[in-house]
Amino acid sequence: MRVASVGGMAGEAGWTWLDDALVAPDPFGVLDCAGTLCRGVMPTRLPDPDEIPGIADAVIPIASGSSVPLGVFLGAQLGAAMLGGAGLIGAALTAPQLDAMAMLGLLGRYTPISGPVRVTRVGMAPVDRELSRLVRPAIDTLRFCAEPFEAVKAVAILTPPGLARFDRSNDAGMRVWLRARGVAVLDLDRMLLDHQPLGLLDLIALLAACRIVLIDDARQASLLGFCDPGAVVIELGVEGWAQPEIAEATRLFALARRTVLTPAPRYPIKSPLPIGASRMMSIEVDIGALDAALAGLLTLVNA
Protein backbone atom coordinates (compact mmCIF):
# COMPACT_ATOMS: atom_id res chain seq x y z
CA MET A 1 0.00 0.00 0.00
CA ARG A 2 1.18 3.48 -0.81
CA VAL A 3 -0.23 6.29 1.27
CA ALA A 4 0.44 9.94 0.61
CA SER A 5 -0.65 13.13 2.32
CA VAL A 6 -0.91 15.76 -0.38
CA GLY A 7 -2.44 19.14 -1.05
CA GLY A 8 -2.48 19.19 -4.82
CA MET A 9 -6.00 20.61 -5.21
CA ALA A 10 -7.59 23.61 -3.54
CA GLY A 11 -8.75 22.83 -0.01
CA GLU A 12 -7.11 19.38 0.09
CA ALA A 13 -4.08 20.03 2.31
CA GLY A 14 -3.70 17.22 4.82
CA TRP A 15 -5.84 14.73 2.87
CA THR A 16 -4.87 11.06 2.83
CA TRP A 17 -4.64 9.42 -0.59
CA LEU A 18 -4.64 5.65 -1.00
CA ASP A 19 -3.30 4.03 -4.16
CA ASP A 20 -5.10 0.96 -5.54
CA ALA A 21 -7.96 1.09 -3.02
CA LEU A 22 -11.38 -0.49 -2.86
CA VAL A 23 -14.69 1.33 -2.26
CA ALA A 24 -17.85 -0.52 -1.16
CA PRO A 25 -21.10 1.47 -1.50
CA ASP A 26 -23.51 -0.28 0.91
CA PRO A 27 -22.51 -0.58 3.66
CA PHE A 28 -20.07 2.20 2.87
CA GLY A 29 -16.44 1.32 3.36
CA VAL A 30 -13.01 2.23 2.03
CA LEU A 31 -10.28 -0.43 2.15
CA ASP A 32 -6.65 -0.24 1.15
CA CYS A 33 -5.05 -2.72 -1.24
CA ALA A 34 -4.24 -5.05 1.68
CA GLY A 35 -7.92 -5.20 2.73
CA THR A 36 -7.51 -2.98 5.81
CA LEU A 37 -10.58 -0.85 6.62
CA CYS A 38 -9.70 2.85 6.43
CA ARG A 39 -13.18 4.40 6.70
CA GLY A 40 -16.76 3.26 7.17
CA VAL A 41 -17.89 -0.30 7.89
CA MET A 42 -16.11 -3.54 7.02
CA PRO A 43 -18.44 -5.64 4.82
CA THR A 44 -19.22 -9.12 6.11
CA ARG A 45 -18.35 -10.55 2.72
CA LEU A 46 -16.46 -8.75 -0.01
CA PRO A 47 -16.93 -10.16 -3.50
CA ASP A 48 -14.40 -9.58 -6.23
CA PRO A 49 -14.52 -5.87 -6.97
CA ASP A 50 -15.77 -4.58 -10.30
CA GLU A 51 -13.66 -2.42 -12.50
CA ILE A 52 -15.81 0.29 -14.03
CA PRO A 53 -14.35 1.98 -17.09
CA GLY A 54 -14.52 5.75 -17.07
CA ILE A 55 -14.05 6.26 -13.32
CA ALA A 56 -11.63 9.11 -12.72
CA ASP A 57 -8.08 8.24 -11.71
CA ALA A 58 -8.57 10.12 -8.42
CA VAL A 59 -11.91 9.93 -6.59
CA ILE A 60 -13.47 10.95 -3.29
CA PRO A 61 -15.86 8.30 -1.88
CA ILE A 62 -19.19 9.51 -0.48
CA ALA A 63 -21.35 7.59 2.00
CA SER A 64 -24.71 7.75 0.23
CA GLY A 65 -27.79 5.76 -0.73
CA SER A 66 -30.94 4.69 1.10
CA SER A 67 -29.09 3.39 4.17
CA VAL A 68 -27.39 6.75 4.83
CA PRO A 69 -29.46 9.38 6.70
CA LEU A 70 -29.77 12.74 4.97
CA GLY A 71 -28.05 14.48 7.88
CA VAL A 72 -25.03 12.18 7.57
CA PHE A 73 -24.93 12.56 3.79
CA LEU A 74 -24.88 16.36 4.14
CA GLY A 75 -22.16 16.18 6.79
CA ALA A 76 -18.47 16.94 6.73
CA GLN A 77 -17.67 14.45 3.96
CA LEU A 78 -19.76 16.36 1.42
CA GLY A 79 -18.45 19.74 2.56
CA ALA A 80 -14.93 18.41 2.06
CA ALA A 81 -15.81 17.08 -1.39
CA MET A 82 -16.96 20.57 -2.43
CA LEU A 83 -13.48 21.90 -1.71
CA GLY A 84 -11.70 19.39 -3.93
CA GLY A 85 -11.83 18.81 -7.65
CA ALA A 86 -11.65 15.00 -7.83
CA GLY A 87 -14.43 12.73 -9.05
CA LEU A 88 -16.99 11.40 -6.56
CA ILE A 89 -18.32 7.86 -6.19
CA GLY A 90 -20.88 6.18 -3.97
CA ALA A 91 -24.17 4.30 -3.91
CA ALA A 92 -27.16 5.24 -6.05
CA LEU A 93 -28.52 8.51 -4.67
CA THR A 94 -31.91 8.91 -3.04
CA ALA A 95 -34.14 11.73 -4.33
CA PRO A 96 -33.09 14.34 -1.69
CA GLN A 97 -29.43 13.32 -2.03
CA LEU A 98 -29.63 13.74 -5.80
CA ASP A 99 -31.28 17.16 -5.38
CA ALA A 100 -28.53 18.22 -2.99
CA MET A 101 -25.78 17.14 -5.36
CA ALA A 102 -27.44 19.00 -8.23
CA MET A 103 -27.85 22.20 -6.20
CA LEU A 104 -24.23 22.01 -5.05
CA GLY A 105 -23.01 21.59 -8.64
CA LEU A 106 -21.50 18.17 -7.84
CA LEU A 107 -23.76 15.87 -9.85
CA GLY A 108 -21.55 15.96 -12.93
CA ARG A 109 -18.63 14.65 -10.86
CA TYR A 110 -20.58 11.78 -9.29
CA THR A 111 -20.47 8.15 -10.45
CA PRO A 112 -22.95 5.77 -8.77
CA ILE A 113 -21.73 2.23 -8.08
CA SER A 114 -23.82 -0.83 -7.21
CA GLY A 115 -21.03 -2.94 -5.74
CA PRO A 116 -17.41 -2.76 -4.58
CA VAL A 117 -15.04 -1.21 -7.11
CA ARG A 118 -11.28 -0.94 -7.27
CA VAL A 119 -10.00 2.54 -8.03
CA THR A 120 -6.58 3.92 -8.84
CA ARG A 121 -6.55 6.57 -6.14
CA VAL A 122 -8.93 7.43 -3.30
CA GLY A 123 -8.85 10.69 -1.34
CA MET A 124 -10.10 10.98 2.23
CA ALA A 125 -10.46 14.33 3.96
CA PRO A 126 -9.06 14.73 7.50
CA VAL A 127 -12.54 14.29 9.03
CA ASP A 128 -12.71 12.59 12.41
CA ARG A 129 -16.38 13.41 13.08
CA GLU A 130 -19.42 14.31 11.03
CA LEU A 131 -19.84 17.73 12.64
CA SER A 132 -16.47 19.34 12.16
CA ARG A 133 -16.50 22.81 10.59
CA LEU A 134 -16.33 21.08 7.19
CA VAL A 135 -20.08 20.53 7.52
CA ARG A 136 -20.66 24.20 6.72
CA PRO A 137 -19.84 24.48 2.97
CA ALA A 138 -22.66 22.15 1.89
CA ILE A 139 -25.20 23.24 4.51
CA ASP A 140 -24.65 26.99 4.01
CA THR A 141 -24.79 26.67 0.21
CA LEU A 142 -28.06 24.73 0.32
CA ARG A 143 -29.54 26.99 2.99
CA PHE A 144 -29.62 29.95 0.63
CA CYS A 145 -31.26 27.97 -2.17
CA ALA A 146 -34.68 28.39 -0.52
CA GLU A 147 -36.58 31.21 1.13
CA PRO A 148 -38.04 30.48 4.59
CA PHE A 149 -41.63 29.26 4.45
CA GLU A 150 -43.54 29.20 7.72
CA ALA A 151 -45.60 26.04 7.53
CA VAL A 152 -45.17 25.33 11.25
CA LYS A 153 -43.28 27.09 14.04
CA ALA A 154 -42.15 23.98 15.89
CA VAL A 155 -41.02 20.60 14.58
CA ALA A 156 -39.68 17.39 16.10
CA ILE A 157 -36.89 15.33 14.53
CA LEU A 158 -37.21 11.94 16.23
CA THR A 159 -35.32 8.72 15.66
CA PRO A 160 -37.57 6.11 14.00
CA PRO A 161 -38.54 3.50 16.61
CA GLY A 162 -36.81 0.67 14.76
CA LEU A 163 -33.51 2.56 14.70
CA ALA A 164 -33.53 4.04 18.19
CA ARG A 165 -30.80 3.07 20.64
CA PHE A 166 -33.41 2.35 23.32
CA ASP A 167 -36.98 1.14 23.31
CA ARG A 168 -39.06 4.22 24.15
CA SER A 169 -42.09 2.81 25.92
CA ASN A 170 -44.26 5.91 25.42
CA ASP A 171 -43.06 6.82 21.93
CA ALA A 172 -46.47 6.64 20.23
CA GLY A 173 -48.13 8.62 23.00
CA MET A 174 -45.40 11.25 22.92
CA ARG A 175 -45.86 11.77 19.18
CA VAL A 176 -49.62 12.20 19.61
CA TRP A 177 -49.01 14.63 22.48
CA LEU A 178 -46.53 16.67 20.41
CA ARG A 179 -48.98 17.03 17.53
CA ALA A 180 -51.69 18.10 19.99
CA ARG A 181 -49.30 20.81 21.23
CA GLY A 182 -48.78 22.08 17.68
CA VAL A 183 -45.39 20.43 17.12
CA ALA A 184 -45.18 18.76 13.70
CA VAL A 185 -43.17 15.53 13.46
CA LEU A 186 -40.59 15.11 10.69
CA ASP A 187 -39.81 11.68 9.30
CA LEU A 188 -36.56 12.34 7.46
CA ASP A 189 -35.97 8.75 6.39
CA ARG A 190 -39.18 8.94 4.35
CA MET A 191 -39.15 12.75 3.87
CA LEU A 192 -42.56 13.30 5.46
CA LEU A 193 -43.98 16.05 7.66
CA ASP A 194 -46.93 14.57 9.54
CA HIS A 195 -47.53 12.23 6.57
CA GLN A 196 -47.16 15.05 3.99
CA PRO A 197 -44.33 14.44 1.46
CA LEU A 198 -41.43 16.90 1.36
CA GLY A 199 -38.74 17.65 -1.19
CA LEU A 200 -35.31 18.87 -0.14
CA LEU A 201 -36.17 22.50 -0.87
CA ASP A 202 -39.37 22.12 1.16
CA LEU A 203 -37.34 20.82 4.10
CA ILE A 204 -34.83 23.67 3.88
CA ALA A 205 -37.57 26.31 3.69
CA LEU A 206 -39.47 24.69 6.56
CA LEU A 207 -36.48 24.57 8.91
CA ALA A 208 -35.38 28.08 7.95
CA ALA A 209 -38.71 29.44 9.24
CA CYS A 210 -38.91 27.17 12.28
CA ARG A 211 -38.50 28.77 15.72
CA ILE A 212 -38.32 25.56 17.80
CA VAL A 213 -36.78 22.20 16.90
CA LEU A 214 -37.10 19.23 19.24
CA ILE A 215 -34.50 16.60 18.33
CA ASP A 216 -33.18 13.29 19.64
CA ASP A 217 -31.72 11.94 16.38
CA ALA A 218 -27.99 12.70 16.31
CA ARG A 219 -27.77 11.33 12.76
CA GLN A 220 -29.71 14.39 11.56
CA ALA A 221 -27.90 17.01 13.64
CA SER A 222 -26.26 18.73 10.65
CA LEU A 223 -29.72 19.63 9.29
CA LEU A 224 -30.08 22.08 12.19
CA GLY A 225 -27.86 24.31 10.06
CA PHE A 226 -30.88 25.09 7.89
CA CYS A 227 -32.47 26.93 10.86
CA ASP A 228 -31.94 30.66 11.21
CA PRO A 229 -29.50 31.68 13.96
CA GLY A 230 -31.23 32.06 17.31
CA ALA A 231 -33.76 29.27 16.76
CA VAL A 232 -34.23 27.17 19.90
CA VAL A 233 -33.15 23.53 19.81
CA ILE A 234 -34.55 21.28 22.54
CA GLU A 235 -32.41 18.18 22.78
CA LEU A 236 -34.32 15.18 24.05
CA GLY A 237 -31.50 13.26 25.71
CA VAL A 238 -30.96 10.35 28.08
CA GLU A 239 -29.10 10.68 31.37
CA GLY A 240 -25.60 9.27 31.00
CA TRP A 241 -25.83 8.76 27.24
CA ALA A 242 -24.48 11.92 25.62
CA GLN A 243 -24.92 12.70 21.93
CA PRO A 244 -22.33 15.42 21.32
CA GLU A 245 -23.33 15.92 17.68
CA ILE A 246 -26.47 17.85 18.62
CA ALA A 247 -24.63 20.18 21.00
CA GLU A 248 -21.90 20.70 18.40
CA ALA A 249 -24.45 21.57 15.71
CA THR A 250 -26.07 24.23 17.90
CA ARG A 251 -22.64 25.76 18.51
CA LEU A 252 -21.60 25.69 14.85
CA PHE A 253 -24.84 27.27 13.64
CA ALA A 254 -25.41 29.80 16.47
CA LEU A 255 -28.59 28.21 17.79
CA ALA A 256 -29.96 28.31 21.33
CA ARG A 257 -29.97 24.92 23.07
CA ARG A 258 -31.98 23.47 25.90
CA THR A 259 -32.06 19.89 27.12
CA VAL A 260 -34.77 17.62 28.48
CA LEU A 261 -33.21 14.52 30.01
CA THR A 262 -35.00 11.20 30.24
CA PRO A 263 -34.04 8.96 33.21
CA ALA A 264 -31.37 6.39 32.38
CA PRO A 265 -32.65 3.21 30.71
CA ARG A 266 -33.78 0.22 32.69
CA TYR A 267 -31.85 -2.95 31.97
CA PRO A 268 -33.39 -6.27 33.15
CA ILE A 269 -30.09 -8.13 33.50
CA LYS A 270 -31.47 -11.49 34.67
CA SER A 271 -34.79 -11.47 32.90
CA PRO A 272 -35.64 -12.38 29.29
CA LEU A 273 -36.61 -9.78 26.75
CA PRO A 274 -40.11 -8.58 27.75
CA ILE A 275 -42.93 -9.62 25.42
CA GLY A 276 -43.45 -6.96 22.77
CA ALA A 277 -40.16 -5.17 23.52
CA SER A 278 -37.64 -4.62 20.74
CA ARG A 279 -34.67 -3.74 22.97
CA MET A 280 -33.34 -4.93 26.32
CA MET A 281 -32.99 -1.35 27.54
CA SER A 282 -36.08 0.86 27.67
CA ILE A 283 -36.76 4.49 28.53
CA GLU A 284 -39.82 6.60 29.14
CA VAL A 285 -39.84 10.28 28.24
CA ASP A 286 -40.92 12.60 31.04
CA ILE A 287 -43.81 14.36 29.29
CA GLY A 288 -44.16 16.79 32.22
CA ALA A 289 -40.57 17.97 31.85
CA LEU A 290 -41.01 18.23 28.08
CA ASP A 291 -44.20 20.24 28.53
CA ALA A 292 -42.43 22.63 30.91
CA ALA A 293 -39.63 23.18 28.38
CA LEU A 294 -42.05 23.78 25.51
CA ALA A 295 -44.77 25.79 27.25
CA GLY A 296 -43.12 29.18 27.44
CA LEU A 297 -41.48 28.87 24.03
CA LEU A 298 -44.72 27.95 22.26
CA THR A 299 -46.51 30.87 23.91
CA LEU A 300 -43.75 33.20 22.72
CA VAL A 301 -43.63 32.03 19.09
CA ASN A 302 -47.41 31.89 18.77
CA ALA A 303 -47.88 35.41 20.14
Side-chain angles (χ1 to χ4, degrees):
M1 177 185 68
R2 289 174 292 165
V3 179
S5 182
V6 298
M9 287 180 280
E12 292 186 11
W15 283 46
T16 298
W17 289 88
L18 304 177
D19 292 333
D20 189 25
L22 188 143
V23 178
D26 189 10
F28 173 75
V30 180
L31 295 82
D32 64 24
C33 60
T36 303
L37 182 69
C38 300
R39 183 158 293 178
V41 178
M42 175 68 79
T44 54
R45 187 179 76 83
L46 196 60
D48 293 334
D50 298 326
E51 291 187 2
I52 300 180
I55 286 186
D57 289 338
V59 297
I60 299 170
I62 302 293
S64 54
S66 58
S67 65
V68 177
L70 183 60
V72 173
F73 176 78
L74 295 178
Q77 57 158 6
L78 198 59
M82 291 179 64
L83 303 177
L88 310 173
I89 61 171
L93 300 170
T94 64
Q97 292 172 0
L98 190 147
D99 288 343
M101 294 288 273
M103 286 189 281
L104 294 172
L106 299 177
L107 201 53
R109 290 166 49 193
Y110 191 80
T111 301
I113 56 177
S114 58
V117 298
R118 191 170 297 283
V119 293
T120 304
R121 211 157 187 247
V122 168
M124 294 185 294
V127 175
D128 59 356
R129 53 203 170 98
E130 287 300 327
L131 276 158
S132 72
R133 290 177 64 223
L134 279 172
V135 75
R136 298 207 62 157
I139 291 293
D140 284 347
T141 301
L142 291 171
R143 181 170 174 258
F144 292 105
C145 288
E147 288 293 322
F149 178 76
E150 191 177 284
V152 291
K153 294 180 179 179
V155 299
I157 300 175
L158 303 175
T159 309
L163 298 175
R165 178 183 291 178
F166 310 116
D167 186 56
R168 187 156 48 202
S169 60
N170 60 343
D171 184 79
M174 182 186 71
R175 291 169 186 261
V176 170
W177 179 86
L178 285 170
R179 291 186 176 100
R181 294 286 278 142
V183 181
V185 178
L186 274 171
D187 180 344
L188 291 171
D189 287 335
R190 295 187 295 168
M191 291 295 284
L192 298 174
L193 176 71
D194 284 344
H195 311 297
Q196 297 296 317
L198 295 172
L200 180 61
L201 282 173
D202 300 324
L203 175 65
I204 296 169
L206 173 77
L207 289 175
C210 237
R211 304 286 299 281
I212 302 169
V213 180
L214 174 72
I215 181 171
D216 75 341
D217 193 346
R219 306 172 310 152
Q220 307 290 5
S222 65
L223 301 185
L224 295 173
F226 293 141
C227 299
D228 273 356
V232 179
V233 174
I234 300 177
E235 179 183 353
L236 188 58
V238 178
E239 289 178 352
W241 298 80
Q243 296 193 97
E245 297 89 347
I246 295 173
E248 184 69 3
T250 60
R251 185 188 68 81
L252 281 171
F253 298 114
L255 306 173
R257 173 174 167 257
R258 300 184 182 183
T259 58
V260 174
L261 292 179
T262 294
R266 302 185 303 275
Y267 183 53
I269 298 176
K270 294 185 178 180
S271 63
L273 190 66
I275 294 175
S278 59
R279 304 269 192 298
M280 281 298 289
M281 293 192 290
S282 65
I283 59 174
E284 181 175 349
V285 175
D286 186 340
I287 299 297
L290 186 55
D291 185 47
L294 277 170
L297 292 172
L298 288 172
T299 299
L300 183 64
V301 300
N302 288 322

